[in-house]
Amino acid sequence: MKQVAISLDAVREKNLMQLKKLNVVLFPVRYNDKYYADALASGEFTKLAYYSDICVGAIACRLEKKDPGAVRVYIMTLGVLAPYRGLGIGTELLNHVLEQCSKQSISEIYLHVQTNNDDAINFYKKFGFEVTETIQNYYTNITPPDCYVVSKHLEAQPRK
Amino acid sequence: MALCTRIFSASKAIEILEAYEGTLDDDYPPENERCEHSEMLLYKVSLLEECGLLEKALEELHKKETKIVDKLAYKEQEVSLLVKLNRLEEAAKLYRALLYMNPDNYRYYEGLQRCAGLYSEKGQYSSDEIQRLDALYQSLQQEYTWSSAAKRIPLDFLQGERFQAAVDNYIRPLLTKGVPSLFSDLSPLYDQPGKADILEKLILELEDSLKKTGCFPGRTVKEPPSTLMWTLFLVAQHYDRRSQYGTALAKIDEAISHTPTVIDLYSVKSRILKHAGDLTAAAALADEARCMDLADRYINSECVKRMLQADQVSLAEKTAVLFTKDGDQHNNLYDMQCMYELASGESYFRQGELGKALKKFLAVEKHYADITEDQFDFHSYCLRKMTLRTYVEMLKFQDRLHSHSYFCKAAAGAIRCYLKLFDSPPKSATEKDEEMSKLLPSQKKKMRQKQRKAEARAKKEAESKNEEISASNVSKSGKRHVKAVDPDPHGEKLLQVEDPLMEATKYLKLLQKHSPDSLETHFLSFEVNMRKQKILLAFQAVKNLMRLDAENPLSHRCLIRFFNKVSSMPAPVSDAERLVWSVLEAERPAISQLHQKSLTDANISFLREHENSLMHRVAVAEMLYLLEPNKKSEAVKLIEDSPNNMVSIKGAPPVQLWKLEDCIAVHEVLENVLIDKEAASRWKARCAECFPYSRYFEGIRSSVVSKAYLNNLIDNSENGASNHPELNNSIALNGKLETFKDLKI
């Protein structure tokens, strides 16, 4: 297949609808206003992915305060439209966020994955994530209702 | 001075310019005046060209080559002279040089074709010519591999198999790249016979192959996933063009569920719904598209346009002002001269609000008056900057200004409003008082209280708005602008005009002067003059209609109506009337349709000539009823028996000939002119089947029937523009969810 340009763009008020459209198709859940507010507030950690100038995927994160005084990143959603999977777009989105983490000396990044989602678990393992916890009955409307907490600890970037 | 003289005689102007040049030194011009001098020289050459002194013009051009700064204009002027002098070989060489500079300029290709003797205005060529053209363009394509014009132009003249191969080659890379305007590019080809079918076969093959193997037919290279989406997009637009709206909608829905984030898909779906007759759904969808990129002005304008077409005027205005500067938004919209008032006025007219409609149409007219006045700013500027050629062009443009289509539409709209006012005048103030006096005293008191409250409220609003405006202006510029508050925001005063026909005539005169070749102009002239009882002027209008298009049902109607009226007028009494009569007598034999025939017979022969056309039959039926009112049922039968020949292409659903807007017009005729309610409802039921998406006919798939909640949504969204229902999107959960993130509860 020919090499096609993949680019990332920030999420703003003006293009928020693109993120909403993606979420409607990718996830069987309606996200509330707080989700979108957090995404907008997270700056560089939330991105839309464009394949040949078409918006096909997104990663949305939330920055959480961890005592004492540190910050950790929580990945709220990461998804790519079905016809465009397997092209490295998801990788690029996640790599971007990991880069941001190391630039800003953030040491922890984590997310929740439904227990039956083997593909997701394998995907994150490739990036050095590990399953650290299991939570029963985390979800209310889907089966299985349990989830894993998948997280990664990052080494601090040595100051030059 | 040269310019003034130019108005009278180009040769005089040249003399003056030469005299001026004579006074200059040899090393003129200085560095900072080179542009102006060069402009003057080019202007002189163009004057010479206009006078017909072509050789001299060319000589002059070559002599002054070093002093002319605008190299491109130099070359273009030179090539135009060479062609006129018939020095085609030299011209061809020069065109090739121009093409090297810009291989996408269609005029250069046209010029090259002319030089080779291979240019035809209507694009019709013999097969021998096609061969030569094909060879020419093959060589040009080799030379300019990046030029899209060289690839697109052959599609116009190639036929049959060669066409198929060429268009296949043209489309494929554009689908891979993802060019949303591909269909608009190919659109003119649909008017050429046979090409639409070839295109259909081709793109369906592409779609099929992409779905089965992910590659184009005959290739093994895998296409990126977006190609399928763009192909579906193209297919949907293709079916829309061929009026197969059901299929078109199915295809676009498929594209949307494939990649729901592409705004163009929603725009096209909105357009398909509009063609199919469901304007409200189209507007809702256009709004959905708009929400996907709030920073895009184009899509905002499109959304406003659709809302106006769906008669949602206040919502449209709220949406439009999202892109105006803060402050006095209403006036800003007017200042931008974007002519949205035209669509807005037409919408009010449809809704019967003549006052507001008139206000809008007159606003458009004022824009044009403003544009005419603006030219005075340019006189001194152009003379100073010596941009003579552009200046002359601007003057010519101003002369033709009122023939612009927006103005014509606005003038026509205004005239129609006045015609309606004449036919059914609004209640005058005295009548209203009379009505009031009939009420009981307690009711009267209540009404007066209501009126007073309403007036006070309006006054307060106007005052507060005024304060707001002046406050914001003060904060911005420190000065006090007092923007004129519109004293008549709803056009009520306009409605009270004494003589609507006189107002209408003002606009009519402008139309007649600048758009004499438009059927509409003469039709309106006919209507106005009939009402004014100006027989000869009406007759002039009829003659013009006959001259322009005698076979048009509109012309036929006017002809019959006119002579019917004339024959029913009393015998001439005064001298003036006798004069009019004699003129008509003299002219009547000249009209071939009525030669030796009575009106009824003329009607029947018109029918025989146009038996298969719905609109012609309707015109005949109307006239039949007019001439012989007792034959109403025959007239109705004439309409109902109209054939709707279905043309069917193999494998595709049959395509009907009737157009939606025509059918709506027929329904109105049945209800209002022939006044046969039963026939009207029969017609409505029949059309509902033919046009299932039409709201007018309440087709089963229109939003009137199936998506009743749409209406609620539109009604409730008065306070905002961000209601975007998950309308027509099938929320397809794509098969394997590879990356499934957490859920917010």
Side-chain angles (χ1 to χ4, degrees), chain B residues 506-725:
Chain B
K506 279 196 324 213
Y507 298 105
L508 189 60
K509 285 212 167 71
L510 279 169
L511 274 183
Q512 282 173 317
K513 182 160 171 221
H514 294 277
S515 318
D517 287 332
S518 149
L519 267 181
E520 176 105 2
T521 311
H522 299 294
F523 174 66
L524 288 171
S525 165
F526 176 76
E527 294 284 341
V528 172
N529 288 315
M530 285 292 270
R531 286 171 173 76
K532 281 167 86 167
Q533 311 278 352
K534 300 268 187 192
I535 304 296
L536 285 181
L537 286 177
F539 185 56
Q540 190 184 54
V542 171
K543 276 185 79 174
N544 270 316
L545 283 172
M546 288 289 128
R547 166 180 69 92
L548 284 173
D549 187 0
E551 302 303 316
N552 193 305
L554 202 65
S555 317
H556 177 78
R557 273 204 195 91
C558 292
L559 183 68
I560 304 283
R561 272 169 64 191
F562 177 74
F563 280 106
N564 189 40
K565 170 106 193 260
V566 159
S567 55
S568 64
M569 279 184 353
V573 170
S574 68
D575 276 336
E577 287 180 6
R578 256 191 279 262
L579 198 58
V580 169
W581 211 253
S582 57
V583 169
L584 288 177
E585 285 295 317
E587 291 278 346
R588 186 168 166 153
I591 301 181
S592 58
Q593 279 81 355
L594 296 181
H595 205 51
Q596 314 267 339
K597 278 189 227 152
S598 74
L599 291 179
T600 338
D601 291 333
N603 204 17
I604 295 180
S605 61
F606 189 74
L607 171 67
R608 252 182 267 128
E609 279 173 41
H610 301 280
E611 256 182 335
N612 288 329
S613 156
L614 176 64
M615 293 317 282
H616 288 89
R617 288 174 78 106
V618 170
V620 170
E622 255 188 78
M623 293 302 106
L624 183 62
Y625 181 59
L626 177 70
L627 295 170
E628 296 170 76
N630 55 329
K631 288 213 177 148
K632 181 161 107 171
S633 48
E634 212 180 289
V636 172
K637 188 165 183 303
L638 207 56
I639 299 180
E640 295 200 312
D641 281 345
S642 304
N644 182 14
N645 295 328
M646 310 280 248
V647 177
S648 75
I649 315 158
K650 260 188 287 194
V655 179
Q656 61 200 9
L657 280 179
W658 289 352
K659 293 210 197 92
L660 181 58
E661 21 188 67
D662 290 343
C663 292
I664 293 180
V666 171
H667 185 257
E668 278 170 13
V669 164
L670 282 171
E671 265 207 25
N672 302 329
V673 178
L674 293 178
I675 317 184
D676 186 341
K677 296 272 181 203
E678 283 176 10
S681 52
R682 279 200 298 271
W683 181 257
K684 186 168 173 186
R686 199 164 154 198
C687 286
E689 273 186 36
C690 294
F691 302 103
Y693 290 95
S694 161
R695 280 178 68 89
Y696 186 87
F697 293 121
E698 289 166 25
I700 39 167
R701 289 200 231 152
S702 74
S703 53
V704 173
V705 175
S706 57
K707 290 184 180 132
Y709 71 83
L710 244 183
N711 291 333
N712 290 336
L713 231 44
I714 304 298
D715 289 351
N716 293 338
S717 56
E718 275 296 332
N719 48 334
S722 45
N723 276 334
H724 24 266

Side-chain angles (χ1 to χ4, degrees), chain B residues 129-246:
Chain B
E129 286 172 330
I130 293 182
Q131 283 267 51
R132 288 163 60 198
L133 277 170
D134 195 17
L136 173 64
Y137 276 96
Q138 294 276 9
S139 76
L140 285 169
Q141 278 171 28
Q142 300 277 359
E143 236 182 292
Y144 307 110
T145 46
W146 63 92
S147 155
S148 52
K151 294 194 194 101
R152 174 62 181 81
I153 297 177
L155 296 181
D156 287 326
F157 58 75
L158 286 175
Q159 302 284 342
E161 267 195 33
R162 285 249 198 86
F163 169 73
Q164 186 169 337
V167 88
D168 195 15
N169 256 332
Y170 183 74
I171 293 185
R172 286 188 193 197
L174 294 178
L175 283 176
T176 309
K177 185 171 172 199
V179 177
S181 60
L182 179 57
F183 183 76
S184 329
D185 189 17
L186 297 173
S187 181
L189 295 172
Y190 283 80
D191 295 326
Q192 297 179 14
K195 291 196 174 170
D197 291 328
I198 297 179
L199 278 167
E200 181 158 331
K201 205 170 98 164
L202 185 66
I203 54 183
L204 288 179
E205 248 178 52
L206 290 174
E207 183 195 342
D208 200 46
S209 165
L210 282 171
K211 281 186 173 162
K212 293 213 179 93
T213 63
C215 314
F216 281 135
R219 302 265 182 87
T220 48
V221 176
K222 276 234 166 202
E223 291 290 321
S226 48
T227 312
L228 175 59
M229 189 255 305
W230 292 117
T231 311
L232 286 168
F233 181 64
L234 187 63
V235 172
Q237 289 178 92
H238 166 88
Y239 280 119
D240 175 38
R241 184 66 143 86
R242 307 201 87 183
S243 309
Q244 293 172 34
Y245 303 118

Side-chain angles (χ1 to χ4, degrees), chain B residues 19-281:
Chain B
Y20 168 68
E21 265 188 293
T23 64
L24 301 172
D25 298 325
D26 240 346
D27 59 353
Y28 193 86
E31 272 306 313
N32 59 343
E33 276 182 41
R34 286 184 69 205
C35 271
E36 284 89 358
H37 189 71
S38 147
E39 281 296 311
M40 191 211 72
L41 292 169
L42 280 169
Y43 177 61
K44 181 167 164 218
V45 173
S46 71
L47 279 176
L48 285 167
E49 184 180 1
E50 224 186 280
C51 279
L53 300 168
L54 302 169
E55 286 280 357
K56 184 141 192 283
L58 199 56
E59 200 189 301
E60 189 68 29
L61 195 62
H62 285 147
K63 218 167 47 170
K64 302 287 169 61
E65 185 174 347
T66 46
K67 296 208 172 164
I68 293 181
V69 179
D70 188 350
K71 297 295 176 201
L72 181 62
Y74 175 86
K75 288 202 171 69
E76 290 193 343
Q77 179 78 65
E78 191 183 354
V79 87
S80 143
L81 286 169
L82 285 172
V83 167
K84 287 193 180 155
L85 285 170
N86 233 338
R87 285 155 68 167
L88 296 177
E89 269 209 29
E90 286 176 60
K93 267 204 337 222
L94 194 48
Y95 271 122
R96 283 187 185 263
L98 282 168
L99 273 176
Y100 182 74
M101 288 199 291
N102 180 1
D104 278 321
N105 187 327
Y106 278 68
R107 278 185 281 140
Y108 299 162
Y109 286 105
E110 197 186 293
L112 200 54
Q113 278 183 245
R114 274 183 207 269
C115 291
L118 288 169
Y119 182 74
S120 140
E121 276 286 337
K122 300 219 177 123
Q124 285 165 342
Y125 302 97
S126 70
S127 55
D128 183 50
E129 286 172 330
I130 293 182
Q131 283 267 51
R132 288 163 60 198
L133 277 170
D134 195 17
L136 173 64
Y137 276 96
Q138 294 276 9
S139 76
L140 285 169
Q141 278 171 28
Q142 300 277 359
E143 236 182 292
Y144 307 110
T145 46
W146 63 92
S147 155
S148 52
K151 294 194 194 101
R152 174 62 181 81
I153 297 177
L155 296 181
D156 287 326
F157 58 75
L158 286 175
Q159 302 284 342
E161 267 195 33
R162 285 249 198 86
F163 169 73
Q164 186 169 337
V167 88
D168 195 15
N169 256 332
Y170 183 74
I171 293 185
R172 286 188 193 197
L174 294 178
L175 283 176
T176 309
K177 185 171 172 199
V179 177
S181 60
L182 179 57
F183 183 76
S184 329
D185 189 17
L186 297 173
S187 181
L189 295 172
Y190 283 80
D191 295 326
Q192 297 179 14
K195 291 196 174 170
D197 291 328
I198 297 179
L199 278 167
E200 181 158 331
K201 205 170 98 164
L202 185 66
I203 54 183
L204 288 179
E205 248 178 52
L206 290 174
E207 183 195 342
D208 200 46
S209 165
L210 282 171
K211 281 186 173 162
K212 293 213 179 93
T213 63
C215 314
F216 281 135
R219 302 265 182 87
T220 48
V221 176
K222 276 234 166 202
E223 291 290 321
S226 48
T227 312
L228 175 59
M229 189 255 305
W230 292 117
T231 311
L232 286 168
F233 181 64
L234 187 63
V235 172
Q237 289 178 92
H238 166 88
Y239 280 119
D240 175 38
R241 184 66 143 86
R242 307 201 87 183
S243 309
Q244 293 172 34
Y245 303 118
T247 328
L249 283 171
K251 289 294 172 190
I252 198 80
D253 280 334
E254 220 182 301
I256 290 179
S257 59
H258 181 277
T259 313
T261 46
V262 177
I263 301 180
D264 301 285
L265 299 176
Y266 297 93
S267 298
V268 159
K269 188 168 176 187
S270 165
R271 199 178 312 148
I272 299 176
L273 281 168
K274 172 191 151 219
H275 292 159
D278 196 341
L279 296 168
T280 319

Side-chain angles (χ1 to χ4, degrees), chain B residues 371-437:
Chain B
I371 295 177
T372 316
E373 283 203 19
D374 283 343
Q375 68 171 297
F376 293 112
D377 293 335
F378 285 97
H379 293 320
S380 50
Y381 177 80
C382 284
L383 286 176
R384 203 163 24 102
K385 292 284 182 177
M386 278 290 210
T387 52
L388 298 168
R389 290 169 300 139
T390 321
Y391 179 60
V392 171
E393 269 183 43
M394 187 210 55
L395 289 177
K396 287 192 197 150
F397 161 74
Q398 289 282 358
D399 286 337
R400 294 191 315 261
L401 184 64
H402 288 283
S403 62
H404 194 264
S405 61
Y406 288 163
F407 176 76
C408 294
K409 285 197 197 148
I415 295 177
R416 287 211 166 84
C417 285
Y418 284 122
L419 285 175
K420 263 208 175 162
L421 275 179
F422 180 81
D423 289 342
S424 40
K427 286 202 207 125
S428 63
T430 44
E431 279 182 32
K432 279 205 186 118
D433 285 337
E434 274 181 30
E435 275 192 25
M436 281 272 281
S437 60

Side-chain angles (χ1 to χ4, degrees), chain A residues 1-2 4 13-15 17-18 21-22 24-31 51-52 54-55 62 74-79 81-85 87 111-114 117 119-120 123-124 138-140 142, chain B residues 176-178 221-227 229-230 256-263 266 288 291-295 323 724-726 729-745:
Chain A
M1 180 124 56
K2 285 182 242 171
V4 180
E13 281 287 349
K14 301 275 183 182
N15 63 7
M17 193 57 176
Q18 296 273 15
K21 278 267 184 262
L22 283 173
V24 157
V25 171
L26 293 172
F27 312 115
V29 144
R30 293 292 163 275
Y31 286 102
Y51 177 86
S52 184
I54 304 169
C55 180
R62 189 174 67 207
Y74 176 66
I75 303 180
M76 298 193 287
T77 55
L78 165 54
L81 291 174
Y84 302 89
R85 293 179 195 160
L87 297 170
L111 59 130
H112 292 115
V113 178
Q114 203 182 10
N117 197 343
D119 291 324
F123 174 77
Y124 286 98
Y138 181 75
Y139 302 114
T140 50
I142 54 174
Chain B
T176 309
K177 185 171 172 199
V221 176
K222 276 234 166 202
E223 291 290 321
S226 48
T227 312
M229 189 255 305
W230 292 117
I256 290 179
S257 59
H258 181 277
T259 313
T261 46
V262 177
I263 301 180
Y266 297 93
E288 199 178 336
C291 288
M292 289 176 67
D293 189 350
L294 295 169
F323 272 91
H724 24 266
E726 327 288 357
N729 291 336
S730 42
I731 302 169
L733 275 187
N734 301 300
K736 244 180 15 167
L737 290 176
E738 280 187 352
T739 20
F740 193 107
K741 295 282 99 228
D742 80 322
L743 301 164
K744 270 290 188 291
I745 302 154

